[in-house]
Amino acid sequence: HYLDTPGKRCHKDLDPNETREWWLNNRVADKLEKILAEYDGLEILRVDDTTGKKNVTLKERTDKANEWGADYYIAIHFNAGVNGGKGGGIVVFVYTNPQAASVELQKALYDSMIKHGGLKGNRATPLARKNLHEVRETRMPACLCELGFMDSATDVPVILTEEYADNMAEAIAEVVIEKSGAKKKARTLYRVQVGAFGKKENAEAMLKKLDAAGFDGYITTL
């Protein structure tokens, strides 16, 4: 989807802003990218238009992923279909005749999302199989994740929050990191001496300035 995809937005009675699905999807994807950028050995290909201005077709997306040779394809979406009711929850789809690795990925993603976000809902088959383009036309293990319902009185107040987006990004990242075996990049730490002072009160005054500026300072004696 993109910003102007017809109908893809939160129910007006539940969200006066009618937040677009693209915005919800993109927020999670951006957060996921930032988490995974902290790990060695991971490459990420976004197959959407990150500005939201262009409609990238499903065929363009899956073709790009196949040509790139991705190890996994994870589609981030939000659902609709309960028409203002209280039903909803997370659903993760694979193809009707999926690879075994897709089924494994599906369960891992769903379990991680429920653990981090808790939006279980009342779906009879949250681990669902459906003839959807993104899971049918991809050569690699693929899942399409519906992270909640945009027309659910239960889900909307949750999916609009920043915390929920953080939780969903963390949930997906956890699975990707575990399956890839990626390790967090080593951090280089530097210690900088701000100054040397003959009087303790001068040192304490500088420490207060550092604290106010958001730096963790401390005083040592020579």
Side-chain angles (χ1 to χ4, degrees):
H1 310 300
Y2 72 124
L3 275 169
D4 294 327
T5 301
K8 302 294 184 179
R9 63 193 69 187
C10 288
H11 197 294
K12 189 174 183 177
D13 290 343
L14 303 172
D15 171 22
N17 294 322
E18 295 184 89
T19 303
R20 270 46 173 182
E21 182 184 353
W22 176 85
W23 187 87
L24 294 171
N25 298 341
N26 187 67
R27 181 172 63 166
V28 174
D30 283 348
K31 291 175 181 291
L32 176 60
E33 271 195 296
K34 288 178 181 178
I35 295 171
L36 296 181
E38 297 180 3
Y39 288 80
D40 280 319
L42 290 177
E43 293 181 80
I44 305 159
L45 175 69
R46 290 278 296 266
V47 295
D48 60 335
D49 172 31
T50 57
T51 69
K53 296 177 181 178
K54 178 185 174 185
N55 182 29
V56 182
T57 67
L58 296 179
K59 186 177 186 306
E60 288 177 294
R61 295 173 191 239
T62 54
D63 283 353
K64 192 180 291 187
N66 288 334
E67 290 165 10
W68 195 60
D71 294 309
Y72 295 101
Y73 186 99
I74 299 173
I76 297 169
H77 292 272
F78 284 80
N79 216 335
V82 297
N83 300 312
K86 294 183 178 180
I90 293 167
V91 182
V92 182
F93 289 93
V94 293
Y95 182 48
T96 52
N97 184 27
Q99 304 175 38
S102 291
V103 177
E104 292 174 6
L105 177 64
Q106 177 190 36
K107 187 173 189 313
L109 285 169
Y110 180 76
D111 289 348
S112 186
M113 289 170 181
I114 295 302
K115 180 180 78 173
H116 286 275
L119 203 60
K120 190 171 184 179
N122 64 349
R123 298 298 92 186
T125 53
L127 299 174
R129 299 187 180 192
K130 196 170 183 179
N131 186 17
L132 301 170
H133 180 98
E134 287 183 280
V135 293
R136 182 186 68 239
E137 299 299 325
T138 37
R139 297 182 192 133
M140 69 290 303
C143 289
L144 187 151
C145 306
E146 299 279 11
L147 305 183
F149 280 69
M150 297 181 292
D151 58 352
S152 163
T154 302
D155 291 4
V156 168
V158 177
I159 67 177
L160 289 176
T161 66
E162 200 74 26
E163 180 184 10
Y164 186 73
D166 287 334
N167 289 341
M168 290 300 96
E170 187 64 40
I172 298 170
E174 186 177 275
V175 173
V176 172
I177 292 162
E178 181 180 345
K179 287 191 170 294
S180 66
K183 302 296 181 185
K184 201 158 191 177
K185 293 175 181 177
R187 292 180 62 192
T188 302
L189 298 177
Y190 300 91
R191 186 171 67 182
V192 178
Q193 181 176 318
V194 174
F197 304 90
K199 294 183 178 180
K200 183 180 179 182
E201 55 266 31
N202 292 340
E204 290 173 342
M206 178 56 71
L207 182 61
K208 287 181 179 179
K209 289 182 181 180
L210 290 171
D211 288 342
F215 297 99
D216 295 326
Y218 61 92
I219 297 173
T220 60
T221 56
L222 301 176

